[in-house]
Amino acid sequence: MSTSGENKYHHYLWKSFKWTILNTCFGLFPLLLVGIVNILTNGKEGHHQIDHLIYEGGIILFVCSAIMGAVAVDYLLSGEKVGGIELFAIYIFPLLLTGFMALEFLLVCLQKLNKFALAYNSKKTIILVIVSLSYCILAKSSLYLKEDSERK
């Protein structure tokens, strides 16, 4: 691949990274806002709401699910034709991951799993966040690349 091609792909990766982070921040806004309140009050306010959003609300998993869904919808609306492994990677994989997240949340709600299974520092949550964000960055980069190629 030429240097300009590599720079173009890096550009799409960077653009996708920014898209993913900004959408994640918007999704986590309630948590960020309560966190700011907690910091401004030196921990006197907001702690209960933070615990509720993370442990009972499953906000981290639901935001990951929402941004993966946004990428899949972008692909669907773009009209790009996908098949084979790409069909699995773009549409089926995020559905399977979302199903796993929903199952974990359901098991916590039914008290079959400890609520700390949804903690931001649990191994499963960390893995799910990394996989979800990686999916978003790579799939969105691929879409940007395809859309740019079609324009030429």
Side-chain angles (χ1 to χ4, degrees), residues 11 15 40 60 62 64-65 86 92 99 101 108 114 133:
H11 167 74
K15 186 176 177 179
L40 292 175
I60 295 171
F62 287 121
C64 287
S65 177
E86 200 174 20
I92 298 170
M101 291 178 198
V108 168
N114 185 306
L133 296 181

Side-chain angles (χ1 to χ4, degrees), residues 27-137:
L28 291 175
F29 182 75
L31 183 62
L32 296 172
L33 183 60
V34 174
I36 290 168
V37 168
N38 186 262
I39 290 168
L40 292 175
T41 62
N42 294 320
K44 294 177 187 167
E45 299 293 331
H47 184 72
H48 175 72
Q49 291 88 346
I50 291 171
D51 286 351
H52 176 75
L53 285 168
I54 293 175
Y55 301 120
E56 284 112 41
I59 191 169
I60 295 171
L61 298 181
F62 287 121
V63 167
C64 287
S65 177
I67 61 171
M68 286 190 306
V71 172
V73 168
D74 282 354
Y75 247 98
L76 188 64
L77 295 177
S78 75
E80 291 292 330
K81 303 290 185 227
V82 295
I85 192 74
E86 200 174 20
L87 177 71
F88 176 82
I90 300 300
Y91 298 116
I92 298 170
F93 176 74
L95 286 175
L96 291 174
L97 200 56
T98 297
F100 179 77
M101 291 178 198
L103 178 63
E104 185 172 26
F105 181 75
L106 181 63
L107 291 173
V108 168
C109 289
L110 297 173
Q111 298 178 345
K112 301 293 181 186
L113 274 179
N114 185 306
K115 72 178 185 177
F116 296 109
L118 300 177
Y120 63 90
N121 59 352
S122 77
K123 286 181 184 178
K124 274 193 274 183
T125 299
I126 291 169
I127 290 169
L128 288 171
V129 167
I130 290 170
V131 170
S132 298
L133 296 181
S134 297
Y135 162 81
C136 291
I137 292 166

